Amino acid sequence: MVSTFHVSDKMASYTFLDLIDPERIKKILEIFHDLTGITSTLIDSEGNILTCADGTWVAAGWQDICINFHRKHPETLKRCLESDTHLSGNLTAGEKYSCYHCLNGLVDMAVPVYVGGEHLANVFAGQFFFQHPDEDFFRKQAQKYGFNPEEYINDLRKVPVFDEDYINKGIKFLVELAEIIGEMGLKEKLLLETNEQLEKSHKELLKVITSMPIPMGIINSQNGTIELLNDKFTEFTGYSLNEVPDMKTWWKKAFSDEIIREKTRNDWIHRRKNVEITNDDIVPMESEITSKTGLKRVVRFYLRPMENFDIVSLVDLTEIRKAEEKERQYYQELHTINETFIQLLGVQSDVEIFKIIGKSVKNLLPSSMVTISSLVSDKRHMKIVDVLGLEKFTDALEKFKIDPFALTFSLSELDSKLLFLHQEGKLVRSEEGIYGVVMGKIPRKVCELIERFVNIGEVYSIAFLWEKNLYGGLVIQIPQGETLHHKEAIETIVHQASIAIQRIRAEEDLIKSEDKYRAFINSTSDMAYLKDNHFRYVMVNQANQKFFNRTEEEILDKTDFDLMPLESAQNCRESDEEALKNQKILVTEEIIGKKIYETLKFPVNIGNEKMGVGAFIRDITDKKKAEKALKESLEEKEVLLREIHHRVKNNMQIISSLLNLQKKYVEEEETVNILVESQNRIKTMAMIHEKLYQSPNLTSINFNEYTEKLVNDLFYSYGKKMSVIKTSFHMEEVKIGLDTAIPCGLILNELVTNSLKYAFPEDRTGIITIKFRSEGEYFILKVLDDGVGVPEDIKLENKDTLGFQLVTSLVKQLDGTVQMDRSHGTSFTIKFKELHYSDRM
């Protein structure tokens, strides 16, 4: 992959000198000395005199007594530094300067330099007296430190004597100079930090895009060059950056159809321009692309403009669109079934039923032809009564002089095998096509010619059959190249139609017989009733009478407002009205008193072409209480389990803190290392419990997120910089359970620790790579580095190496295998299965 987004491996670090112009400040100090005779210099917060690029001090007018004597002798130099530190320490927040008699006898003053509120340096002025010095004091000092007394006193007499008013005027200038230096430093500091942050952001952007689990790329919006494609993009489309170096090539490869390609490209350009106008961040665009292997995929493009570059990501919608189409078909079937059921409730003739079913099937299969035949009055023959989709067959039928409505089929001619298959109420495929369903009434060759002429593929049939009584048949002719959809839905509505036909056939026995109707609604232990179009009760079963604690005579011809409290009656009326108005089945929950009832209400024909409402009502109060108790119990257990994981994590953190305290009381490096390693192992286990109580799923963790956090903590623990030793993660989104995660995490801790401690000696640069993927029922964890490699005399089973002993033991605990490869750096490959422990004591 190639990218013009270049960032350095190391982020810039800077000192106070990087924030100022030392040569310019030195020149100002020299001019100040020439005008005033006051010595001055610039010293950092640790007492060091700052220097220019040529090594000279940022100072002017230093007295010979300090240069030739005080700063040369180790004892007096120490006193100079102590004085400087003491003088700097006397500066409190808000003070503009501080005055002090140095330990070597001269007067010094300090003016603080603040950069962004931080005290980083001082402008020192000094090496003078407020009154003539006591030469006897300095003669004794010369004798004490072995100075040449005459030369020392001669240099002492060169030191100027100033009155306080004069010095105060000079200090005012230095205070202003310190503020200017601070402002100069702050501006430079902000610039450096901004550049640093920008470099870091670019580096993080590349890292994020490269490691993202979705296809992503970076496009130069100025010339259309593709600057970067991550591995997921290449894996998803099959195209590498070399194969699609620019957008022009990408359009050509991803969209083989020129018309679709131009339409999609123009849409993209329009959306890209719209981004520039509206300043929107993301513009999604959905399209079908062709991968390198020829596979068609529906994707959604997301565009995020960024300076002169566009970040583009792809989301695969193929399976979602398939699921949506499946869901659309499901709801279409459900709607058709419900509508058919409602229409069949009030039907009074076979002809109406066949019309309803024909339209319903045609609605589900718009490109097919649907033929319906009915049993005639002699109950020994059938004839075609309706054909939907006939228009495309008209020419063929006229050519062969065939009138489908004139065809009559004797029941005695029905194929016994075909009749047997139809007993199951399922759609049956005709192996002989049209000829198989017309029972020889049309010659075979003519049937074959018709099929070719109108492009018929498969032919299916189903019988209107109930309790072995045959009422008619339905035939579906599917176009060539298409498949039969909605099979179960068609079988369901034909089944409903068969029941409706039987109802009509037995109307006197089943509808007009009140005794049988009562037997029907009394056959259930649930409450059941019928109401007229004014919502007055016209029939109630025994369970309903018990509910009202009234006889049927006391209930009939009354409404709910006569029998129940106002609020309950109002709720019942609203659902009754909705079922009747919308002519559909309505399932609701209603509260009456302290009871909760589940009601199924539906429109019903109550005679004289009037519609009413029927209902079945079930008391679900106990069921609701049980559901609520179960939900509360589950919530309590979940809270408890989260608390357990939280406490385990806290206890482990306490142990880690104790080990951290213990490190302060040991000096041996080996002991400190042992404590650090133990502390890291405990943190490794504690992080797993932390991930568990933070996760929506308390039984497993996202091992990808866990791995990156663990490695970052190990870098911090061993003081390693990720700019020197890089990391590379190739992790599948895999969740694993606690029993597997703990040993797996400890293995990862040991192997990464080994690489950090031994693979990159003497600040050697390199990379640690961690890979994790699933392979069938196995997981593959691979940790490798390109460091110096493990010596040949060290084996995995080496008993003197605690880390390798622990890795071997943990792999055995996982019932897995481990391999070490020294061919290029060091590589460990661990293969294991998910652990599934049984009961724990």
Side-chain angles (χ1 to χ4, degrees), residues 550-682:
R550 300 189 186 199
T551 64
E552 185 175 17
E553 290 74 16
E554 292 173 322
I555 298 172
L556 295 183
D557 219 26
K558 291 183 173 63
T559 69
D560 288 322
F561 291 96
D562 301 318
L563 302 168
M564 289 191 290
L566 178 62
E567 184 177 352
S568 300
Q570 185 63 42
N571 291 336
C572 292
R573 174 62 62 85
E574 288 176 0
S575 55
D576 285 345
E577 289 176 343
E578 184 176 351
L580 184 60
K581 178 182 177 181
N582 296 328
Q583 289 290 293
K584 68 177 184 179
I585 297 174
L586 180 67
V587 179
T588 62
E589 288 184 7
E590 296 178 355
I591 299 176
I592 302 176
K594 295 183 179 180
K595 295 283 189 176
I596 304 173
Y597 296 92
E598 182 180 68
T599 67
L600 186 149
K601 298 186 178 182
F602 49 90
V604 62
N605 190 320
I606 59 173
N608 297 324
E609 298 183 354
K610 292 183 180 180
M611 297 298 293
V613 178
F616 292 97
I617 305 170
R618 177 171 296 176
D619 185 349
I620 59 170
T621 307
D622 292 338
K623 176 185 174 183
K624 286 291 184 180
K625 288 181 180 178
E627 288 176 353
K628 182 180 179 183
L630 178 60
K631 182 179 179 182
E632 291 175 350
S633 175
L634 289 174
E635 288 175 351
E636 289 174 0
K637 287 179 173 60
E638 183 175 316
V639 171
L640 178 60
L641 189 54
R642 289 187 189 279
E643 180 62 20
I644 289 172
H645 284 302
H646 186 62
R647 292 192 180 186
V648 169
K649 188 266 293 186
N650 286 347
N651 289 338
M652 288 184 172
Q653 283 187 334
I654 291 172
I655 297 172
S656 176
S657 298
L658 290 173
L659 292 175
N660 195 44
L661 289 173
Q662 190 65 36
K663 285 191 298 184
K664 299 178 180 179
Y665 297 96
V666 296
E667 298 179 356
E668 296 81 357
E669 184 178 353
E670 182 179 357
T671 305
V672 172
N673 289 337
I674 291 173
L675 291 174
V676 169
E677 290 174 0
S678 299
Q679 189 178 12
N680 286 337
R681 289 167 185 146
I682 290 169

Side-chain angles (χ1 to χ4, degrees), residues 218-379:
I218 297 178
I219 303 170
N220 187 317
S221 59
Q222 304 301 308
N223 56 26
T225 302
I226 299 176
E227 303 290 346
L228 179 143
L229 295 175
N230 67 359
D231 292 339
K232 277 294 180 181
F233 187 96
T234 301
E235 178 186 331
F236 180 71
T237 65
Y239 296 117
S240 65
L241 187 62
N242 292 332
E243 294 172 300
V244 283
D246 51 50
M247 289 300 290
K248 183 178 179 181
T249 309
W250 162 251
W251 293 124
K252 189 172 182 180
K253 289 184 178 293
F255 301 90
S256 55
D257 187 287
E258 186 175 353
I259 296 175
I260 296 176
R261 181 195 313 149
E262 285 304 307
K263 181 180 179 300
T264 307
R265 180 176 171 274
N266 291 335
D267 189 16
W268 175 272
I269 293 171
H270 171 74
R271 290 167 184 259
R272 181 65 183 82
K273 288 181 178 178
N274 191 55
V275 170
E276 296 175 355
I277 297 171
T278 62
N279 292 321
D280 290 336
D281 283 341
I282 298 175
V283 179
M285 186 182 81
E286 193 171 311
S287 184
E288 184 180 77
I289 66 169
T290 305
S291 67
K292 187 177 180 179
T293 60
L295 183 66
K296 302 284 187 180
R297 286 182 170 175
V298 179
V299 298
R300 180 176 291 158
F301 295 90
Y302 287 93
L303 167 68
R304 184 184 293 276
M306 192 172 185
E307 296 179 359
N308 295 328
F309 294 87
D310 294 336
I311 300 174
V312 179
S313 59
L314 275 63
V315 177
D316 188 2
L317 302 179
T318 308
E319 294 303 320
I320 294 175
R321 291 294 172 262
K322 288 181 181 178
E324 288 176 349
E325 175 60 22
K326 191 173 182 181
E327 184 179 14
R328 187 194 65 78
Q329 291 184 6
Y330 168 76
Y331 281 109
Q332 182 187 10
E333 291 174 358
L334 187 62
H335 175 74
T336 302
I337 291 171
N338 288 338
E339 287 296 313
T340 304
F341 177 74
I342 291 171
Q343 292 178 58
L344 291 175
L345 286 175
V347 172
Q348 298 297 318
S349 69
D350 295 1
V351 175
E352 290 182 78
I353 290 175
F354 290 138
K355 285 184 177 180
I356 291 169
I357 298 305
K359 289 180 180 178
S360 297
V361 174
K362 186 63 177 171
N363 181 53
L364 292 172
L365 305 172
S367 61
S368 300
M369 186 174 79
V370 179
T371 303
I372 298 176
S373 58
S374 172
L375 194 69
V376 297
S377 57
D378 65 5
K379 297 185 179 180

Side-chain angles (χ1 to χ4, degrees), residues 199-211:
E199 256 189 84
K200 183 179 179 181
S201 297
H202 282 170
K203 185 175 181 180
E204 288 299 319
L205 175 62
L206 286 178
K207 182 179 178 183
V208 167
I209 291 178
T210 303
S211 62

Side-chain angles (χ1 to χ4, degrees), residues 496-510:
Q496 291 175 346
S498 300
I499 297 174
I501 294 171
Q502 187 198 38
R503 172 179 60 81
I504 292 172
R505 291 284 191 271
E507 190 171 11
E508 288 184 0
D509 297 329
L510 296 178

Side-chain angles (χ1 to χ4, degrees), residues 410-558:
S410 172
L411 295 184
S412 61
E413 296 174 345
L414 283 174
D415 186 296
S416 58
K417 179 182 177 182
L418 186 63
L419 190 59
F420 175 78
L421 292 173
H422 280 301
Q423 292 289 335
E424 298 295 323
K426 305 291 183 183
L427 279 161
V428 178
R429 180 177 173 273
S430 172
E431 296 179 358
E432 296 183 288
I434 293 178
Y435 183 78
V437 296
V438 298
M439 295 181 290
K441 298 297 180 180
I442 302 175
R444 184 186 298 273
K445 288 186 178 180
V446 174
C447 290
E448 292 173 353
L449 286 171
I450 292 174
E451 288 175 355
R452 288 199 295 270
F453 189 79
V454 294
N455 197 34
I456 290 178
E458 295 181 331
V459 178
Y460 291 84
S461 62
I462 186 172
F464 292 96
L465 192 70
W466 182 254
E467 294 182 351
K468 298 184 179 181
N469 295 315
L470 180 65
Y471 303 119
L474 181 144
V475 177
I476 303 171
Q477 289 91 6
I478 306 292
Q480 189 74 35
E482 293 188 16
T483 56
L484 177 65
H485 296 293
H486 311 292
K487 183 174 180 292
E488 293 182 358
I490 294 170
E491 292 169 348
T492 299
I493 61 178
V494 170
H495 179 69
Q496 291 175 346
S498 300
I499 297 174
I501 294 171
Q502 187 198 38
R503 172 179 60 81
I504 292 172
R505 291 284 191 271
E507 190 171 11
E508 288 184 0
D509 297 329
L510 296 178
I511 297 179
K512 294 183 179 180
S513 174
E514 187 175 321
D515 290 339
K516 289 185 178 181
Y517 215 161
R518 289 184 182 279
F520 173 69
I521 67 169
N522 279 320
S523 64
T524 175
S525 59
D526 296 334
M527 291 184 282
Y529 65 72
L530 293 178
K531 296 178 182 177
D532 63 18
N533 57 342
H534 297 292
F535 307 107
R536 293 186 296 249
Y537 286 96
V538 296
M539 189 174 293
V540 292
N541 70 352
Q542 294 171 359
N544 216 285
Q545 295 171 41
K546 185 178 179 180
F547 170 77
F548 286 121
N549 194 24
R550 300 189 186 199
T551 64
E552 185 175 17
E553 290 74 16
E554 292 173 322
I555 298 172
L556 295 183
D557 219 26
K558 291 183 173 63

Side-chain angles (χ1 to χ4, degrees), residues 39-50 57-59 62 66 70-71 75-92 97-112 119-127:
T39 299
S40 58
T41 186
L42 191 61
I43 300 178
D44 66 18
S45 58
E46 296 178 358
N48 302 308
I49 300 173
L50 299 179
W57 288 350
V58 183
W62 271 54
C66 290
H70 294 161
R71 289 273 170 175
E75 290 296 324
T76 53
L77 174 61
K78 182 179 179 182
R79 296 174 75 178
C80 283
L81 295 176
E82 287 179 4
S83 298
D84 293 345
T85 303
H86 182 80
L87 185 58
S88 176
N90 281 347
L91 289 168
T92 58
Y97 66 90
S98 173
C99 183
Y100 178 72
H101 283 78
C102 80
L103 297 176
N104 290 320
L106 279 69
V107 177
D108 287 330
M109 304 188 80
V111 178
H119 185 186
L120 296 184
N122 297 294
V123 178
F124 270 68
Q127 301 175 357

